[in-house]
Amino acid sequence: MTVVERALLPAQRRASLPQLRRSGVHLSAGARHVACSSKFTNMTEALYSYVMDLQPEPRSLRNVSEYTKDVPAGHMKSSPEQVRLFALLLKLMGARRAIEIGVFTGYSALGIAQALPGDGVLYAFERDPEVLEVAKAFWDKAGVGHKIRPVEGNAVEEIQRLLLGDGAEKEPFDFAFIDANKRAQMTYYEQCLELVRPGGLVIVDNVLWYGRVVDGERNDKITLAIRELNEHMKNDERVELTVLPVGDGMPYAGNCERTGGSHEVLPGAGEALRPPTQVDGSAKVSSGGGGGCGGPPRVDAPRRLLPQPGREPLVRGNCVSPSLSDLSAITTTGTLLRTRAIEIGVFTGYSALGIAQALPGDGVLYAFERDPEVLEVAKAFWDKAGVGHKIRPVEGNAVEEIQRLLLGDGAEKEPFDFAFIDANKRAQMTYYEQCLELVRPGGLVIVDNVLWYGRVVDGERNDKITLAIRELNEHMKNDERVELTVLPVGDGMPYAGNCE
């Protein structure tokens, strides 16, 4: 029986056969389960600090963080990595119009507004006038107040007015973030799907509800409402759904309604990542963000936001996740992935299959793999899934084969939109530099395993692979050609938006 025939057998029969070997490594059944089906890295405090050090919080956002950590319910603030991902997605999408429902002290709204272009607008809905005043002070100090249209009152009613409006207010939105009254989230979700354009993005926070969604004894109204929304989104054929286990869970619902499920590419998408002509602090990686240095603005805190005895914020537990869930969030968002992609390191073809499925009919994925036996297994799965015609497998040394692409001409010289690097760790610096040459401005380069299962923060681990990964991480952190976002999910994944 060939390797390919074995791979395509039903799982029950395949389990009794000798396992596929790669590079002389043979895993036990238990180890295979951990390495393949549950692939995760425990996010310790030391590792999370390392991730945050790779993408320092801009001063303007840190002002809000420092203020919010001392207020009751301070845990309601979005995490820095969440907001950094929002900013990258907004720039890659070329977004100009956004919505946020639930402002609190204004942290995520500030990050969103900083990512919008000069003529962009964010509608920020908040029912509490005192909280809104705090947020507005931070926005004005950071120099983005002119981009934010605060809307005070009942969000359901105010958004309904938008839906019934005309003129500029009737224009479709690119992006919506829902982080408000959990029992009303189903209504917010439906309203946002009406407002957000096909190819746009709707994000909902707290869909794990601090783990209560899987607690059979928790059946309060909020938990039930969140479970209902989750099930609704799961079965909603109007959207491409990806749930990121970041923070307290975040589903990314790409709106493909009215497009028959295809991914519409709007003119100018991705242009926002080109270096801006104005100096706003956002063109460089970890540049400190927009304005607003010098401490938080002077504001009178509402009484309910002042520290109170016996009221501690909820503590978020360690975050673990499958390493490829966030990858699909990017690749299935239509304005980001156009027609050309690269994957370095195929293995059995799982991520390549997902990328190929997200590409349009005329799209192409160059899939580089050194192991011919592994590549045959992957090709069988691709053909069986009906996407083999979109994938151009390249067998051999990836560095040499990619160099041929760089020196090629004609169709092969066309820029790529997306690259995913998950191969020889000691060669990742070379892969990264090659991909930055191949990927267009406004495109995306993703690297897997930058946390190396926690070894990057282990002072006693100084083997060649760990040292190479640390070197690449530091290089990306200081690389002014890209917008860098590192998600503490899976085994760590930096998203490097090419703005060269």
Side-chain angles (χ1 to χ4, degrees):
M1 181 179 293
T2 68
V3 172
V4 172
E5 290 170 337
R6 178 177 61 195
L8 296 181
L9 282 174
Q12 301 93 314
R13 289 188 58 200
R14 190 168 65 246
S16 65
L17 296 171
Q19 296 298 317
L20 175 68
R21 294 171 181 265
R22 183 173 186 179
S23 301
V25 176
H26 182 63
L27 299 177
S28 67
R32 282 198 306 275
H33 175 76
V34 172
C36 298
S37 66
S38 300
K39 191 178 181 185
F40 66 81
T41 293
N42 187 37
M43 192 54 57
T44 64
E45 285 190 25
L47 201 52
Y48 184 77
S49 295
Y50 178 83
V51 169
M52 291 301 102
D53 180 65
L54 292 176
Q55 46 188 355
E57 195 176 20
R59 178 73 250 184
S60 54
L61 286 168
R62 194 160 68 249
N63 288 341
V64 188
S65 291
E66 291 169 354
Y67 173 84
T68 308
K69 70 182 180 183
D70 294 324
V71 307
H75 66 281
M76 288 168 44
K77 180 187 77 68
S78 297
S79 65
E81 68 272 17
Q82 290 171 339
V83 174
R84 200 171 182 96
L85 178 60
F86 294 173
L88 180 62
L89 290 170
L90 287 161
K91 292 176 182 181
L92 291 171
M93 294 169 67
R96 296 184 179 279
R97 289 169 58 81
I99 295 170
E100 175 169 293
I101 306 173
V103 166
F104 195 38
T105 52
Y107 184 85
S108 50
L110 174 54
I112 291 168
Q114 287 176 331
L116 292 172
D119 60 347
V121 61
L122 167 66
Y123 284 72
F125 297 87
E126 175 56 55
R127 66 180 178 183
D128 189 326
E130 287 185 301
V131 167
L132 198 54
E133 286 305 309
V134 171
K136 286 161 67 176
F138 283 116
W139 300 337
D140 290 340
K141 184 171 180 64
V144 296
H146 65 287
K147 296 184 190 179
I148 303 176
R149 199 166 297 179
V151 183
E152 180 192 322
N154 182 296
V156 170
E157 296 173 1
E158 297 299 333
I159 293 171
Q160 193 59 31
R161 290 192 179 96
L162 266 186
L163 287 166
L164 297 174
D166 52 24
E169 292 195 349
K170 195 66 175 178
E171 290 178 27
F173 288 80
D174 307 293
F175 177 93
F177 176 44
I178 302 169
D179 187 16
N181 177 5
K182 307 309 172 189
R183 285 184 284 178
Q185 281 191 333
M186 181 75 81
T187 304
Y188 299 147
Y189 172 76
E190 289 296 332
Q191 288 180 317
C192 286
L193 275 189
E194 286 193 60
L195 287 167
V196 171
R197 62 170 172 82
L201 202 56
V202 177
I203 300 177
V204 188
D205 202 2
N206 299 117
V207 298
L208 303 182
W209 201 223
Y210 303 100
R212 296 168 193 152
V213 287
V214 295
D215 184 345
E217 297 181 1
R218 295 299 296 255
N219 292 299
D220 55 277
K221 289 181 179 179
I222 292 180
T223 304
L224 290 173
I226 291 173
R227 287 181 189 142
E228 181 185 8
L229 174 62
N230 291 347
E231 194 65 22
H232 178 68
M233 291 189 293
K234 170 186 172 182
N235 297 309
D236 192 344
E237 295 184 357
R238 300 169 295 175
V239 303
E240 291 269 1
L241 181 68
T242 294
V243 183
L244 287 187
V246 175
D248 190 34
M250 274 192 169
Y252 287 61
N255 186 4
C256 50
E257 193 176 25
R258 298 183 300 279
T259 67
S262 64
H263 303 292
E264 181 176 305
V265 179
L266 302 184
E271 294 297 321
L273 255 186
R274 296 179 187 276
T277 53
Q278 72 275 21
V279 179
D280 61 2
S282 62
K284 296 182 178 180
V285 168
S286 306
S287 59
C293 295
R298 294 181 180 177
V299 292
D300 295 322
R303 184 185 304 170
R304 76 175 189 82
L305 289 183
L306 294 175
Q308 298 175 20
R311 293 196 58 185
E312 296 295 327
L314 292 175
V315 177
R316 187 180 68 194
N318 288 342
C319 175
V320 297
S321 72
S323 66
L324 289 170
S325 58
D326 51 337
L327 173 63
S328 59
I330 298 295
T331 58
T332 56
T333 301
T335 55
L336 308 190
L337 186 56
R338 299 181 183 177
T339 60
R340 289 169 62 81
I342 295 170
E343 175 169 295
I344 306 173
V346 166
F347 197 36
T348 51
Y350 183 84
S351 49
L353 175 54
I355 295 168
Q357 288 175 328
L359 286 166
D362 61 345
V364 61
L365 167 66
Y366 284 72
F368 296 88
E369 174 56 53
R370 66 180 180 184
D371 189 325
E373 188 179 34
V374 166
L375 197 55
E376 286 304 310
V377 171
K379 286 160 66 176
F381 282 117
W382 301 335
D383 290 340
K384 187 175 177 67
V387 296
H389 64 286
K390 296 184 188 178
I391 302 177
R392 197 168 297 178
V394 184
E395 180 190 323
N397 181 298
V399 170
E400 296 172 1
E401 297 298 334
I402 294 170
Q403 192 60 30
R404 290 191 180 94
L405 269 185
L406 287 167
L407 298 174
D409 52 23
E412 292 197 347
K413 195 65 174 177
E414 291 178 22
F416 287 79
D417 310 295
F418 176 90
F420 177 45
I421 302 169
D422 186 17
N424 177 6
K425 308 309 173 190
R426 284 184 285 178
Q428 281 190 334
M429 181 75 81
T430 303
Y431 298 147
Y432 172 77
E433 289 297 330
Q434 288 180 318
C435 286
L436 275 189
E437 286 192 61
L438 287 167
V439 170
R440 63 173 170 81
L444 195 60
V445 178
I446 299 179
V447 188
D448 201 4
N449 300 118
V450 298
L451 303 182
W452 202 223
Y453 305 102
R455 296 169 195 149
V456 287
V457 294
D458 184 346
E460 296 181 359
R461 296 300 296 252
N462 291 298
D463 55 276
K464 290 181 180 180
I465 292 179
T466 305
L467 290 174
I469 291 173
R470 287 181 190 143
E471 182 186 6
L472 174 62
N473 291 346
E474 195 65 23
H475 179 68
M476 290 189 293
K477 171 185 174 180
N478 297 309
D479 192 343
E480 297 186 354
R481 299 168 296 174
V482 302
E483 289 270 358
L484 181 68
T485 295
V486 184
L487 290 187
V489 296
D491 189 36
M493 269 193 175
Y495 290 68
N498 185 3
C499 54
E500 194 174 17

